Amino acid sequence: MKIAIIGAGAMGSIYGGHLSLKNEVYLIDTNEDIISSINNNGLIIEENGKSNVYRPKAVTNGEGLPEMDLVVLFVKALYSKVALAGNKNLIGENTYLMTLQNGSGHEDILEEFVDDKHIIIGTTEDNGAVLGVGHIRRGGIGNTNIGMLAEDNEGFLLKVKDAFDCCGFNVKIHDNIQQLIWNKLFTNVSLSVVTGILQVKIGYIRSNEYAWNMTKALIHEAVEVAHKMGLEAYEEKITKDVENVSIKSPEGVTSICADLGAGRKTEVDTISGSVVRAANKVGVKVPTHEFVVNMVHAMECKEK
């Protein structure tokens, strides 16, 4: 299978490296140092107590490359549209676009480039970290969960499963992938975004009654939206799960908190913002989510 992986961070490198074992893979990233290192030294991944070297074809853009069977996005969500527009020549009428990015609502951007029959959305339970230029640690292995919004008439999901599984992944195909994505989303659109706004660690949320009240309000609104979308969402269980995260990981720092603290733009539009967009589609009012989206964006623009 011809596969382009856009984004050579930790996860893009893990997938690009492993998939290159059995597929024609192009790893695309605008960082010239990363691309040069991969081409000269290979892509080094620390995993299972070993240092393995992979050799995907690495380029700074898709210019001159053929149309792909599959394009996988691993850039930060706020760069998705630019990344796809800059590599539009990779997308033919039979090309599928896949996102395993955090958050939800990514299909809204993908639909600008292909029809819904060629969109694959999902989540990954793998995790990794960047150790250096072209040097990655694969910290844990889990399922790659995928599904489509439309009927898979071509049986492409099974082809993806075959191509990925033989390279060390464990792909699970889901009929209702949105349910899985929203199950993961509830914590991010409540606890995580509040830690970002308050610039606090995870444990603060449950220890402060006002922070906890806001978190519960966000959970309630998200559950209302999920119900209108036809998804299962049990508010009492979700609230308890989020509470346990705060209690059991008191020193944890969420990515949205870290991004705001470092003066970086966040992925709030595909986290809390995705709840706002979904709410607008199904006719549910979500004033607390609208507030936190505006607040995060206001903090992004704040001078350091």
Side-chain angles (χ1 to χ4, degrees), residues 16-52:
H18 276 268
L19 289 174
S20 69
L21 294 173
K22 302 280 187 178
N23 301 276
E24 183 179 338
V25 172
Y26 299 89
L27 188 53
I28 303 172
D29 198 284
T30 56
N31 188 314
E32 295 183 1
D33 290 339
I34 292 175
I35 298 306
S36 177
S37 179
I38 293 172
N39 286 328
N40 292 329
N41 308 312
L43 175 58
I44 304 168
I45 301 181
E46 307 292 339
E47 52 193 344
N48 301 320
K50 298 179 181 178
S51 182
N52 296 322

Side-chain angles (χ1 to χ4, degrees), residues 252-270:
V253 178
T254 66
S255 61
I256 197 166
C257 180
D259 283 342
L260 286 172
R264 296 187 295 262
K265 285 189 173 294
T266 72
E267 296 181 295
V268 69
D269 287 333
T270 51

Side-chain angles (χ1 to χ4, degrees), residues 2 4 24 26 62-69 89-91 95:
K2 285 190 181 70
E24 183 179 338
Y26 299 89
E63 186 177 349
L65 298 183
E67 292 180 354
M68 298 290 147
D69 300 309
N89 63 294
L90 304 177
I91 305 171
T95 301

Side-chain angles (χ1 to χ4, degrees), residues 184-233:
K184 186 177 179 180
L185 188 67
F186 286 120
T187 300
N188 286 333
V189 301
S190 56
L191 179 146
S192 295
V193 74
V194 177
T195 66
I197 291 171
L198 297 179
Q199 286 294 284
V200 295
K201 293 180 179 178
I202 289 174
Y204 183 85
I205 299 305
R206 187 60 187 94
S207 67
N208 180 279
E209 64 173 305
Y210 304 105
W212 183 234
N213 286 340
M214 177 175 280
T215 301
K216 289 191 293 182
L218 290 166
I219 292 171
H220 176 75
E221 290 180 2
V223 166
E224 290 292 302
V225 174
H227 286 165
K228 281 288 188 177
M229 293 173 64
L231 302 176
E232 292 183 355

Side-chain angles (χ1 to χ4, degrees), residues 128-147:
V130 175
L131 301 179
V133 177
H135 190 189
I136 306 296
R137 181 178 64 240
R138 189 182 190 186
I141 301 172
N143 294 330
T144 299
N145 303 290
I146 61 172

